[in-house]
Amino acid sequence: MAAHRSGPLKQQNKAHKGGRHRGRGSAQRDGKGRLAPKTLTKKVRKDLSRVDQRHRASQLRKQKKEAVLAEKRQLGNKDGPPHQVLVIPLHGSISLPEAFRLFQDRDTGTVVHLNEGGCTDSFMLLSSHLKHRWCFTSAKPGDLHTVLDLAKVADTILFLLDPLEGWDSTGDYCLSCLFAQGLPTYTLAVQGGSGLPAKKQIDARKKLSKTVEKRFPGDKLLLLDTQQEAGMLLRQLANQKQRHLAFRDRRAYMFAHAADFVPSEENNLVGTLKISGYVRGQVLNVNSLLHIVGHGDFQMKQIDAPVDPFPLNPRVLKSQKNPMAMEICATDAVTDMEEDIRILVKADPERQESLQTEVIPDPMEGEQTWPTEEELSEANDFSKKRPRVVKKVPKGTSTYQAEWILDEDGESGEDESDDTEHEDFMEDESQDESGEEEEEEECETMTIGESVRDDLYDEKVDEEAEEKMLEKYKQERLEEMFPDEVDTPRDVAARIRFQKYRGLKSFRTSPWDPKENLPQDYARIFQFQNFTNTRKRIFKEIEEMEVEGAEVGWYVTLHVSEVPVSVLEHFKQGVPLIAFSLLPHEQKMSVLNMVVSRHPGNTEPVKAKEELIFHCGFRRFRASPLFSQHTAADKHKFQRFLTADMALVVTVYAPITFPPASVLLFKQNSNGMHSLIASGYLLSVNPDRMIIKRVVLSGHPFKIFTKMAVVRYMFFNRDDVLWFKPVELRTKWGRRGHIKEPLGTHGHMKCSFDGKLKSQDTVLMNLYKRVFPRWTYDPYVPEPVPWVRNETTSAAPQVDMQ
């Protein structure tokens, strides 16, 4: 019997496709027994049962909770630094001495006044009952720099509010600056609420809660009128969860409780400054540099470890009959410190950080090797054979560029080396001089007192400052209406006026070498090969490496060398002395880029290259910044004014600072006060960030044909038209074109476009050049005039004109 054979029409079913859900055996067969490492790691994680996953999550929660509790117990106990509390009254009616009197209770603990602590109202509160010690400090009323500096090292800020208004104009301005800098842990207390009638207390409390909710959402208001309420407030301060400020958690810092100065043998104005205080933040390395806020960077010689003058359980004199009067004998404390002072560590000159801030430029660096005799002879023979043509060219033009000049009768002009404000804004600066005198009008209703007040008001008005401010407002308005448009000068040839500019096919995609035509100041700065990797490496070393030095919580004395005597004089006048240790490279100069936003309370125009006051992290300095757009491209457009509708990038020469770090920008007014104009954060340290300034030349269509047009008023001579012929044209209504040829000698030119122009359209030409910041860095900032409290609440303090 013959076997059955299937024919050509036999049904062929599709094979089953397992897809990504196929089994382990199928994957092993396809991979021939080899499995990827990722599969093994996923298998380990997947093997955890649900019970094990819950147990692991509970262990993580427990570890985090224990870390928070350990941090609370470390702060203020006998082994940790005292709890630093900054008390800030936000209203003029608040009595700061009354608040301090409530805290200085003998039943709570021992009170030690810090007469040499830099702040006249500072005191230590040592409570053996609560097993906690506090250091209360306060700033002088209206002292902006002191408030910001103390907030950088404070563990907790205690805001004192008025029961009716909460805060006044000065308090609101202070809160704006503190929020921009970064707030540590804070507490809100109301003083004077018990003095109100019983019927008004509930209404005042509700009204105050609504006011506080805008600034501090979800925070509770505590009372501070009695000793019992002060005790409850102290417990609240001790048990609060601490908020971290990133720029200080990665550095060691110190608030000085005492200071001494030993002049050097050569110069009495410079010597060794001895700073005593508690180490905070990180372990203090003696080989690192120390930055004293407001005074500069210095090196340390050694670190001493004296006896802690503020122990949690002070020794009581046996001769005292009253056991409740617990006081520390200053004479015994000083004697013990002199006997028990021991040198903790000395600086190693080989491992110590250098104070070098700038690179010493070598004028011969980057030069080519000297040519051989054969090359020189060949060059001489070639130059003799080549015919020479005499041309008039702009100053600074190379031989390659000179060959492109067609006309030999070009005008010669001086090179504009400095990019002045006259170049930025080629506008008419003619001011209308009012020659008419005001006629005196007789009015029977005007009293003598009012006329005297008006005369006094006019005497205080600075007419020159008013004219300058008016001119700024006009320039800002013109920049908003016609961005980057510049009038072509008629007295100077356009090819000379704009010789540093170039045309780009596309601002976004056209190439531009960041190392091209760098200024001389770039030879003085430091640059990282990869700033992000360097920052990660330094932060990883801080977390993992064990550094020898003064541990957190130790009371030490730092010997800082080559310090001017003015630092100690400021300290004796009541200015707090605050020191931060620097990370590697943070003393070196580079180009810093910061993202800032305009403060809504300031509306005055701020021009680029104006001198501003910077608070960048723990540093304070003056500089003239550049403004540019905050984009993700490789080229960033230059902005002439600090706009209020978007965030901008501020670029300055300044010492290197590793982000994160907060940034505050202040402007010194004519009356000496510092007004907050912008706030933000440090973006990067990158000298290669290209800031491109754009100039727009405009012309008007004179005669319009199908796709051709005659354009005038963009240039005023034939040579300029030929010089800028390769640059592309565009119009405000979206047409694109180019210059065909010049017509006549008065700057008229024939242009072709991709469509027909409208008679009301405007022809534009974009020119670009790279700009660099000015080297105006100054680490010394003048002290501002104290704020003036007003009855009305506003975003910034006003000046009382009476």
Side-chain angles (χ1 to χ4, degrees):
M1 184 177 177
H4 175 71
R5 299 179 180 275
S6 59
L9 301 179
K10 175 177 170 54
Q11 180 179 353
Q12 298 289 338
N13 294 328
K14 291 183 178 180
H16 175 69
K17 294 182 180 179
R20 60 178 181 177
H21 300 291
R22 55 184 177 170
R24 185 174 56 183
S26 176
Q28 288 179 352
R29 285 191 298 271
D30 293 344
K32 297 182 180 179
R34 294 188 295 270
L35 294 178
K38 291 184 178 180
T39 308
L40 292 175
T41 55
K42 288 182 180 179
K43 185 174 183 296
V44 172
R45 288 200 300 267
K46 193 175 181 181
D47 282 346
L48 291 176
S49 63
R50 184 171 298 180
V51 177
D52 294 337
Q53 292 176 6
R54 291 177 180 175
H55 179 69
R56 183 182 179 184
S58 65
Q59 292 294 324
L60 292 176
R61 286 196 302 268
K62 186 178 179 181
Q63 291 177 4
K64 292 180 180 179
K65 187 176 181 180
E66 290 178 353
V68 172
L69 292 176
E71 184 181 5
K72 288 182 182 179
R73 293 164 184 160
Q74 178 71 15
L75 183 63
N77 66 359
K78 62 179 182 179
D79 298 326
H83 195 144
Q84 191 84 15
V85 181
L86 173 61
V87 183
I88 300 179
L90 297 180
H91 200 276
S93 63
I94 293 174
S95 175
L96 190 61
E98 178 64 21
F100 279 178
R101 186 188 62 81
L102 294 176
F103 289 122
Q104 297 173 3
D105 185 15
R106 297 290 183 180
D107 297 335
T108 305
T110 305
V111 177
V112 182
H113 293 276
L114 304 176
N115 297 326
E116 299 180 356
C119 300
T120 55
D121 295 333
S122 300
F123 66 93
M124 296 284 294
L125 179 60
L126 312 175
S127 176
S128 57
H129 174 65
L130 297 176
K131 298 181 181 180
H132 208 85
R133 52 180 177 173
W134 293 270
C135 178
F136 285 89
T137 59
S138 65
K140 293 180 180 179
D143 194 347
L144 175 64
H145 289 337
T146 304
V147 171
L148 293 178
D149 291 344
L150 288 175
K152 293 173 184 176
V153 296
D155 297 316
T156 302
I157 297 181
L158 177 60
F159 293 112
L160 300 182
L161 309 178
D162 182 74
L164 296 177
E165 299 180 3
W167 50 75
D168 55 8
S169 61
T170 306
D172 187 76
Y173 181 60
C174 177
L175 287 176
S176 299
C177 298
L178 290 174
F179 271 98
Q181 178 177 270
L183 272 181
T185 309
Y186 61 87
T187 303
L188 307 177
V190 181
Q191 186 189 56
S194 60
L196 299 176
K199 295 182 180 180
K200 294 185 178 181
Q201 287 184 5
I202 299 177
D203 296 337
R205 186 65 179 262
K206 291 181 179 179
K207 184 179 178 181
L208 182 60
S209 298
K210 292 182 180 179
T211 304
V212 172
E213 188 70 19
K214 299 177 182 178
R215 284 276 192 182
F216 307 96
D219 291 324
K220 296 181 180 180
L221 294 174
L222 303 178
L223 301 177
L224 184 59
D225 290 325
T226 61
Q227 296 285 354
Q228 184 179 3
E229 293 172 350
M232 295 176 61
L233 185 57
L234 287 175
R235 290 181 175 85
Q236 171 69 15
L237 296 176
N239 296 326
Q240 263 188 320
K241 182 181 178 181
Q242 294 298 311
R243 300 176 63 180
H244 295 273
L245 296 180
F247 76 91
R248 75 180 186 186
D249 286 345
R250 292 189 174 95
R251 300 170 178 87
Y253 61 96
M254 174 187 292
F255 172 76
H257 293 283
D260 190 15
F261 183 79
V262 180
S264 62
E265 298 178 356
E266 301 176 356
N267 188 2
N268 294 332
L269 299 179
V270 179
T272 301
L273 182 66
K274 298 180 181 180
I275 307 174
S276 299
Y278 294 91
V279 180
R280 301 169 183 270
Q282 294 288 336
V283 178
L284 180 58
N285 187 6
V286 70
N287 294 320
S288 62
L289 298 180
L290 194 70
H291 175 79
I292 300 178
V293 177
H295 299 284
D297 303 335
F298 306 95
Q299 288 181 333
M300 290 181 285
K301 290 182 178 180
Q302 67 183 36
I303 300 178
D304 297 342
V307 177
D308 191 349
F310 311 108
L312 187 58
N313 298 316
R315 289 176 292 179
V316 183
L317 295 179
K318 297 180 180 180
S319 60
Q320 293 179 349
K321 297 181 180 179
N322 186 6
M324 299 300 295
M326 298 175 61
E327 296 181 355
I328 300 178
C329 182
T331 306
D332 295 344
V334 172
T335 306
D336 293 342
M337 287 176 60
E338 293 178 354
E339 294 177 356
D340 298 340
I341 285 179
R342 60 186 179 89
I343 298 176
L344 186 64
V345 62
K346 286 188 176 182
D348 186 0
E350 297 181 357
R351 300 172 56 189
Q352 197 170 22
E353 291 283 345
S354 173
L355 284 173
Q356 181 184 4
T357 59
E358 302 177 13
V359 178
I360 301 176
D362 184 5
M364 300 301 296
E365 186 178 2
E367 293 292 330
Q368 296 181 353
T369 56
W370 191 257
T372 61
E373 294 181 359
E374 297 178 357
E375 293 174 346
L376 289 175
S377 61
E378 291 178 2
N380 292 331
D381 296 340
F382 179 76
S383 62
K384 290 178 181 179
K385 295 178 181 179
R386 184 178 179 182
R388 297 179 178 273
V389 179
V390 179
K391 293 184 179 182
K392 273 190 175 181
V393 297
K395 187 177 180 181
T397 306
S398 63
T399 56
Y400 175 77
Q401 293 174 333
E403 294 180 357
W404 289 87
I405 299 178
L406 302 179
D407 194 358
E408 298 180 5
D409 299 331
E411 300 178 359
S412 61
E414 296 181 357
D415 183 17
E416 299 175 355
S417 58
D418 296 332
D419 188 11
T420 60
E421 297 298 332
H422 180 71
E423 290 182 351
D424 296 339
F425 310 100
M426 297 296 293
E427 301 173 353
D428 295 332
E429 297 181 354
S430 60
Q431 300 179 355
D432 299 335
E433 299 181 356
S434 58
E436 302 178 358
E437 298 181 354
E438 297 181 359
E439 300 180 357
E440 298 181 356
E441 298 180 0
E442 297 181 357
C443 185
E444 297 179 354
T445 59
M446 183 178 294
T447 61
I448 297 177
E450 291 177 350
S451 63
V452 172
R453 187 179 303 170
D454 291 342
D455 295 340
L456 293 176
Y457 182 82
D458 291 337
E459 290 178 359
K460 295 182 179 180
V461 173
D462 189 354
E463 295 183 359
E464 184 178 356
E466 290 286 328
E467 290 293 332
K468 290 182 179 179
M469 188 58 63
L470 178 61
E471 186 65 24
K472 275 188 181 181
Y473 276 113
K474 288 182 180 179
Q475 292 179 0
E476 186 181 28
R477 180 60 177 166
L478 287 174
E479 181 66 21
E480 292 178 359
M481 296 174 62
F482 309 101
D484 300 328
E485 290 194 29
V486 175
D487 294 333
T488 306
R490 304 196 64 174
D491 55 342
V492 181
R495 62 185 183 276
I496 298 176
R497 168 63 181 85
F498 304 109
Q499 61 183 341
K500 297 181 181 179
Y501 291 82
R502 68 179 71 175
L504 295 178
K505 181 72 175 178
S506 172
F507 181 78
R508 185 178 62 87
T509 60
S510 296
W512 197 312
D513 187 6
K515 303 296 184 183
E516 176 186 359
N517 294 332
L518 297 178
Q520 188 66 27
D521 290 335
Y522 264 51
R524 303 164 57 186
I525 64 173
F526 291 85
Q527 183 175 3
F528 295 96
Q529 186 175 4
N530 192 321
F531 175 73
T532 304
N533 290 348
T534 304
R535 173 177 169 270
K536 290 181 180 178
R537 177 180 58 80
I538 291 177
F539 287 175
K540 188 177 181 180
E541 291 177 356
I542 294 174
E543 296 176 357
E544 297 180 356
M545 293 184 62
E546 295 183 0
V547 181
E548 295 182 359
E551 297 289 339
V552 178
W554 289 4
Y555 186 86
V556 298
T557 300
L558 309 180
H559 294 249
V560 189
S561 58
E562 300 297 328
V563 180
V565 70
S566 59
V567 178
L568 183 66
E569 293 175 356
H570 282 81
F571 179 72
K572 290 182 178 180
Q573 293 174 2
V575 180
L577 186 58
I578 296 170
F580 277 84
S581 68
L582 298 182
L583 299 179
H585 314 297
E586 284 195 330
Q587 79 279 10
K588 301 174 182 177
M589 295 291 293
S590 188
V591 178
L592 269 63
N593 303 304
M594 317 167 189
V595 180
V596 300
S597 299
R598 185 72 179 266
H599 187 260
N602 189 283
T603 57
E604 293 185 4
V606 180
K607 245 162 112 175
K609 302 176 185 177
E610 270 190 62
E611 187 180 77
L612 300 178
I613 298 172
F614 287 77
H615 285 244
C616 180
F618 51 86
R619 289 190 183 272
R620 187 166 64 236
F621 57 88
R622 290 184 294 173
S624 300
L626 293 181
F627 303 142
S628 59
Q629 293 181 352
H630 183 33
T631 59
D634 60 339
K635 296 183 288 293
H636 311 273
K637 184 176 170 299
F638 171 76
Q639 294 290 328
R640 290 181 170 87
F641 287 89
L642 182 62
T643 57
D645 55 346
M646 61 179 178
L648 297 180
V649 176
V650 175
T651 303
V652 291
Y653 290 111
I656 295 171
T657 303
F658 290 101
S662 59
V663 174
L664 281 76
L665 269 65
F666 292 89
K667 183 179 179 182
Q668 186 171 2
N669 301 328
S670 58
N671 54 14
M673 298 177 65
H674 293 178
S675 58
L676 179 65
I677 63 172
S679 61
Y681 60 92
L682 179 61
L683 178 64
S684 64
V685 180
N686 183 17
D688 288 341
R689 190 178 192 274
M690 291 189 293
I691 304 175
I692 308 300
K693 179 181 178 182
R694 184 182 70 172
V695 165
V696 179
L697 305 181
S698 60
H700 301 276
F702 177 51
K703 296 179 181 179
I704 300 175
F705 303 98
T706 307
K707 288 188 178 181
M708 303 286 292
V710 178
V711 180
R712 60 180 178 177
Y713 301 147
M714 182 176 289
F715 304 108
F716 298 100
N717 59 71
R718 184 184 183 91
D719 298 333
D720 289 341
V721 177
L722 294 174
W723 181 271
F724 291 100
K725 185 178 178 181
V727 183
E728 186 182 18
L729 300 176
R730 68 177 182 88
T731 68
K732 288 190 175 181
W733 287 21
R735 297 297 182 190
R736 291 186 175 272
H738 61 277
I739 301 174
K740 295 285 291 183
E741 58 181 351
L743 299 176
T745 60
H746 295 283
H748 292 206
M749 53 188 182
K750 184 190 294 184
C751 306
S752 64
F753 296 91
D754 56 356
K756 187 174 181 180
L757 291 184
K758 301 292 183 181
S759 59
Q760 61 270 30
D761 203 352
T762 304
V763 181
L764 305 175
M765 176 182 288
N766 294 338
L767 300 176
Y768 303 92
K769 79 168 181 177
R770 185 179 178 183
V771 292
F772 302 90
R774 295 176 178 175
W775 194 290
T776 58
Y777 171 78
D778 187 2
Y780 303 103
V781 178
E783 293 294 330
V785 174
W787 312 325
V788 179
R789 293 190 180 272
N790 291 329
E791 296 179 359
T792 58
T793 301
S794 60
Q798 306 293 329
V799 181
D800 191 1
M801 303 303 296
Q802 296 182 358

